[in-house]
Amino acid sequence: MAGEGSEVVLLLHGHPESHLMWHGVAPKLAEDYTVVITDMRGYGESSKPEGLDDHSTYSKRVMAKDQGIVMEKLGYEKFHIAGHDRGGRVCHRMMIDYPDKIKSCTLLDIIPTIDVYNRTDQMIATKYWHWFFYIQPAPFPETFLGARPEYFIRSNILKKTIPGSLKADMFPEDIVQEYIRYYSDPKTVHAIAEDYRASVTIDWNHDMLDRENKMETPILCMWGSDGNISKIWDVVNIWENLANNVTGYAVEGCGHFVPEEKPEIVVEEMRKHIEKYK
């Protein structure tokens, strides 16, 4: 936790990273707000329990509850949330399960999970190949994805950023080494696979039931203009099917890792969003 302010912001990371991904955002936000950053269940330094047969151990409902408990223990009854990638999916569930606690939400480079799968064609299956690989029964994906951790982490970063734009301050080597260390733990790879397996099983069932009622939490969406999201989907329109208050835009000159590639824009827009709904 960093900074002290009247408004509290919880930041949730994406795959295959940890809370360290917010290195360019959290310090700036902490100048004005109380900022809480965590490693989600299965990632970073957090616990990595063995997945149950129904994958509920890594359901977004359980992962959202983890974050709710953290905030309760810290004494924060109402707060703002922001999530990138998988963290955004936990934010989605938090808005549904804890609507009275969430004052605003910022979603970075995602559309709802069900929509990704339902709209899949050859292009999506190619660009989102890991979505379909991770969900295969254990230990098939774990065996292959955990075989060369460093290659996987570095390739993942390169594939999702704009060619030629990668700078050292976006992904400092000491942070990349931490991602590699985490991903070298078979328990981490298993947990991440379970996170994805849950998305097509127990999460799917939960989300289908909840799609009937629109969320009221104000949502700000941002995505990279040069990333897959921008090339394939109308992000705001898709989220408007699920929520009554959605704004958003593509961040120019940016790939998937919006908080690392354009932290100054993320901070600026999040400040505006938080101030509007504090």
Side-chain angles (χ1 to χ4, degrees), residues 216-231:
E216 297 296 336
T217 303
I219 297 174
L220 168 65
C221 300
M222 287 186 282
W223 61 95
S225 66
D226 296 278
N228 294 329
I229 290 277
S230 190
K231 296 173 183 176

mmCIF file of all heavy atoms in Angstrom, residues 216-231:
data_model
loop_
_atom_site.group_PDB
_atom_site.id
_atom_site.type_symbol
_atom_site.label_atom_id
_atom_site.label_comp_id
_atom_site.label_asym_id
_atom_site.label_seq_id
_atom_site.Cartn_x
_atom_site.Cartn_y
_atom_site.Cartn_z
ATOM 1 N N GLU A 216 -24.362 -0.954 -12.367
ATOM 2 C CA GLU A 216 -24.538 0.494 -12.218
ATOM 3 C C GLU A 216 -23.216 1.218 -11.961
ATOM 4 O O GLU A 216 -23.155 2.440 -12.057
ATOM 5 C CB GLU A 216 -25.506 0.785 -11.069
ATOM 6 C CG GLU A 216 -26.915 0.256 -11.290
ATOM 7 C CD GLU A 216 -27.613 0.931 -12.471
ATOM 8 O OE1 GLU A 216 -27.233 2.067 -12.817
ATOM 9 O OE2 GLU A 216 -28.530 0.308 -13.041
ATOM 10 N N THR A 217 -22.167 0.502 -11.628
ATOM 11 C CA THR A 217 -20.868 1.127 -11.357
ATOM 12 C C THR A 217 -20.378 1.872 -12.598
ATOM 13 O O THR A 217 -20.385 1.311 -13.697
ATOM 14 C CB THR A 217 -19.821 0.067 -10.975
ATOM 15 O OG1 THR A 217 -20.286 -0.669 -9.847
ATOM 16 C CG2 THR A 217 -18.482 0.723 -10.648
ATOM 17 N N PRO A 218 -19.947 3.126 -12.463
ATOM 18 C CA PRO A 218 -19.387 3.864 -13.611
ATOM 19 C C PRO A 218 -18.097 3.194 -14.089
ATOM 20 O O PRO A 218 -17.178 2.962 -13.302
ATOM 21 C CB PRO A 218 -19.107 5.254 -13.037
ATOM 22 C CG PRO A 218 -19.930 5.358 -11.801
ATOM 23 C CD PRO A 218 -20.010 3.972 -11.249
ATOM 24 N N ILE A 219 -18.033 2.883 -15.372
ATOM 25 C CA ILE A 219 -16.890 2.164 -15.938
ATOM 26 C C ILE A 219 -16.166 3.040 -16.952
ATOM 27 O O ILE A 219 -16.784 3.616 -17.853
ATOM 28 C CB ILE A 219 -17.343 0.868 -16.626
ATOM 29 C CG1 ILE A 219 -17.965 -0.091 -15.612
ATOM 30 C CG2 ILE A 219 -16.169 0.197 -17.336
ATOM 31 C CD1 ILE A 219 -18.569 -1.335 -16.248
ATOM 32 N N LEU A 220 -14.855 3.125 -16.800
ATOM 33 C CA LEU A 220 -13.980 3.740 -17.798
ATOM 34 C C LEU A 220 -13.185 2.624 -18.463
ATOM 35 O O LEU A 220 -12.508 1.858 -17.790
ATOM 36 C CB LEU A 220 -13.020 4.734 -17.143
ATOM 37 C CG LEU A 220 -11.857 5.234 -18.022
ATOM 38 C CD1 LEU A 220 -12.385 6.051 -19.201
ATOM 39 C CD2 LEU A 220 -10.868 6.049 -17.200
ATOM 40 N N CYS A 221 -13.286 2.530 -19.779
ATOM 41 C CA CYS A 221 -12.529 1.533 -20.532
ATOM 42 C C CYS A 221 -11.406 2.220 -21.298
ATOM 43 O O CYS A 221 -11.621 3.251 -21.939
ATOM 44 C CB CYS A 221 -13.418 0.822 -21.544
ATOM 45 S SG CYS A 221 -14.826 -0.051 -20.851
ATOM 46 N N MET A 222 -10.222 1.651 -21.248
ATOM 47 C CA MET A 222 -9.106 2.090 -22.081
ATOM 48 C C MET A 222 -8.440 0.867 -22.688
ATOM 49 O O MET A 222 -8.318 -0.161 -22.031
ATOM 50 C CB MET A 222 -8.097 2.901 -21.259
ATOM 51 C CG MET A 222 -8.572 4.294 -20.880
ATOM 52 S SD MET A 222 -7.279 5.273 -20.068
ATOM 53 C CE MET A 222 -7.331 4.576 -18.428
ATOM 54 N N TRP A 223 -8.028 1.003 -23.922
ATOM 55 C CA TRP A 223 -7.370 -0.108 -24.603
ATOM 56 C C TRP A 223 -6.362 0.445 -25.603
ATOM 57 O O TRP A 223 -6.445 1.595 -26.023
ATOM 58 C CB TRP A 223 -8.388 -1.004 -25.295
ATOM 59 C CG TRP A 223 -9.203 -0.297 -26.351
ATOM 60 C CD1 TRP A 223 -8.952 -0.251 -27.694
ATOM 61 C CD2 TRP A 223 -10.399 0.481 -26.142
ATOM 62 N NE1 TRP A 223 -9.909 0.488 -28.340
ATOM 63 C CE2 TRP A 223 -10.819 0.963 -27.407
ATOM 64 C CE3 TRP A 223 -11.162 0.823 -25.014
ATOM 65 C CZ2 TRP A 223 -11.947 1.761 -27.577
ATOM 66 C CZ3 TRP A 223 -12.291 1.618 -25.193
ATOM 67 C CH2 TRP A 223 -12.674 2.075 -26.455
ATOM 68 N N GLY A 224 -5.397 -0.373 -25.968
ATOM 69 C CA GLY A 224 -4.359 0.070 -26.877
ATOM 70 C C GLY A 224 -4.848 0.154 -28.312
ATOM 71 O O GLY A 224 -5.468 -0.780 -28.819
ATOM 72 N N SER A 225 -4.563 1.273 -28.978
ATOM 73 C CA SER A 225 -5.020 1.468 -30.356
ATOM 74 C C SER A 225 -4.404 0.453 -31.318
ATOM 75 O O SER A 225 -4.969 0.159 -32.370
ATOM 76 C CB SER A 225 -4.684 2.883 -30.830
ATOM 77 O OG SER A 225 -3.274 3.060 -30.914
ATOM 78 N N ASP A 226 -3.242 -0.079 -30.952
ATOM 79 C CA ASP A 226 -2.543 -1.023 -31.823
ATOM 80 C C ASP A 226 -2.592 -2.450 -31.290
ATOM 81 O O ASP A 226 -1.866 -3.315 -31.785
ATOM 82 C CB ASP A 226 -1.087 -0.581 -31.993
ATOM 83 C CG ASP A 226 -0.975 0.753 -32.699
ATOM 84 O OD1 ASP A 226 -1.042 0.774 -33.928
ATOM 85 O OD2 ASP A 226 -0.854 1.779 -32.001
ATOM 86 N N GLY A 227 -3.436 -2.688 -30.315
ATOM 87 C CA GLY A 227 -3.562 -4.028 -29.750
ATOM 88 C C GLY A 227 -4.687 -4.812 -30.401
ATOM 89 O O GLY A 227 -5.446 -4.289 -31.229
ATOM 90 N N ASN A 228 -4.815 -6.068 -30.015
ATOM 91 C CA ASN A 228 -5.840 -6.934 -30.601
ATOM 92 C C ASN A 228 -7.245 -6.444 -30.314
ATOM 93 O O ASN A 228 -8.124 -6.515 -31.175
ATOM 94 C CB ASN A 228 -5.677 -8.361 -30.060
ATOM 95 C CG ASN A 228 -4.385 -9.006 -30.522
ATOM 96 O OD1 ASN A 228 -3.899 -8.724 -31.608
ATOM 97 N ND2 ASN A 228 -3.826 -9.872 -29.689
ATOM 98 N N ILE A 229 -7.466 -5.966 -29.097
ATOM 99 C CA ILE A 229 -8.794 -5.493 -28.702
ATOM 100 C C ILE A 229 -9.317 -4.461 -29.701
ATOM 101 O O ILE A 229 -10.441 -4.546 -30.191
ATOM 102 C CB ILE A 229 -8.742 -4.872 -27.291
ATOM 103 C CG1 ILE A 229 -8.503 -5.962 -26.241
ATOM 104 C CG2 ILE A 229 -10.003 -4.083 -26.977
ATOM 105 C CD1 ILE A 229 -9.729 -6.699 -25.797
ATOM 106 N N SER A 230 -8.483 -3.465 -29.991
ATOM 107 C CA SER A 230 -8.895 -2.358 -30.852
ATOM 108 C C SER A 230 -9.177 -2.822 -32.275
ATOM 109 O O SER A 230 -10.049 -2.280 -32.961
ATOM 110 C CB SER A 230 -7.804 -1.277 -30.862
ATOM 111 O OG SER A 230 -8.254 -0.101 -31.491
ATOM 112 N N LYS A 231 -8.438 -3.818 -32.715
ATOM 113 C CA LYS A 231 -8.574 -4.291 -34.095
ATOM 114 C C LYS A 231 -9.806 -5.167 -34.301
ATOM 115 O O LYS A 231 -10.276 -5.320 -35.431
ATOM 116 C CB LYS A 231 -7.321 -5.079 -34.491
ATOM 117 C CG LYS A 231 -6.047 -4.245 -34.513
ATOM 118 C CD LYS A 231 -4.820 -5.114 -34.738
ATOM 119 C CE LYS A 231 -3.545 -4.285 -34.683
ATOM 120 N NZ LYS A 231 -2.317 -5.120 -34.810
#
